[in-house]
Amino acid sequence: SASPSLDIPKAKAWEFLEDAAEIGVKGVSLISDGESTLVDYYAESIEYAAKLGLKIGVGSNGYVLDRSMLERILQHISYLRFNFPAGERARYAEIMGVKPAIYDKVMQHIRDAMDIVSTRGLECNVNMNLVCDPKDSDQLLPFAHKAKELGVHYAVIKHCATDDDGV
């Protein structure tokens, strides 16, 4: 049997945002266990929510948030959280299971976000978030140093959730 699609149709997303605004919701965070930025209408949904008067916060691995996307969304959001697994290029690649060049791309996107926010005087907070598995604790200080170097508004380090067996 075919599994149901996990995609939310644009019309349903718009209906949700309209309902939220109508009942007095103040803000919506676009965060997920997946990557919200991969939704075809991602930027458009942020613009629509802002038009409805909703405050928007977003979390992302930052990969697709290139300068043109950032120029489009930063003016409409309250915060942008880059979920970032490490402070060092090689460990980032290892932890994420990607090529080291991905680290460079995401680093540039963070720099671009900070540049856009500061040069335009936007009120969007740009932050970095590290959810750390204890086996990757060697990345705590490099992460903190990288966040400081980039000049993000703040950085958060959280312990990775574990089950009863410590996994």
Side-chain angles (χ1 to χ4, degrees):
S1 72
S3 62
S5 172
L6 298 178
D7 292 340
I8 298 171
K10 182 177 165 183
K12 284 288 181 198
W14 265 227
E15 185 179 315
F16 167 78
L17 292 170
E18 292 162 359
D19 288 349
E22 185 178 324
I23 65 171
V25 170
K26 302 289 183 206
V28 174
S29 291
L30 300 178
I31 56 176
S32 68
D33 287 338
E35 182 58 32
S36 302
T37 59
L38 298 179
V39 173
D40 291 342
Y41 53 85
Y42 178 76
E44 189 181 356
S45 68
I46 291 170
E47 293 164 337
Y48 188 62
K51 180 180 173 184
L52 294 171
L54 295 167
K55 295 281 186 184
I56 300 295
V58 300
S60 172
N61 64 25
Y63 182 71
V64 301
L65 294 178
D66 62 15
R67 190 166 189 102
S68 64
M69 174 73 86
L70 291 166
E71 293 273 2
R72 187 171 175 188
I73 68 171
L74 284 172
Q75 62 190 311
H76 301 296
I77 60 178
S78 299
Y79 72 85
L80 169 55
R81 180 184 75 205
F82 285 91
N83 298 316
F84 209 79
E88 297 170 323
R89 187 176 192 259
R91 292 287 281 127
Y92 177 97
E94 179 185 334
I95 292 167
M96 291 290 285
V98 298
K99 294 177 182 167
I102 301 296
Y103 172 89
D104 301 330
K105 186 173 185 175
V106 174
M107 294 300 297
Q108 185 58 53
H109 294 168
I110 297 171
R111 285 186 199 96
D112 288 345
M114 292 307 300
D115 179 58
I116 293 165
V117 166
S118 65
T119 58
R120 289 191 178 185
L122 301 177
E123 294 186 19
C124 178
N125 283 310
V126 178
N127 65 83
M128 291 170 69
N129 182 61
L130 170 68
V131 178
C132 187
D133 188 304
K135 71 180 174 31
D136 300 320
S137 63
D138 64 301
Q139 290 304 295
L140 297 178
L141 286 176
F143 170 81
H145 290 297
K146 188 55 67 178
K148 184 176 182 182
E149 173 193 318
L150 292 165
V152 294
H153 295 104
Y154 62 91
V156 176
I157 296 173
K158 299 178 183 177
H159 185 282
C160 185
T162 56
D163 64 19
D164 291 338
D165 297 322
V167 181

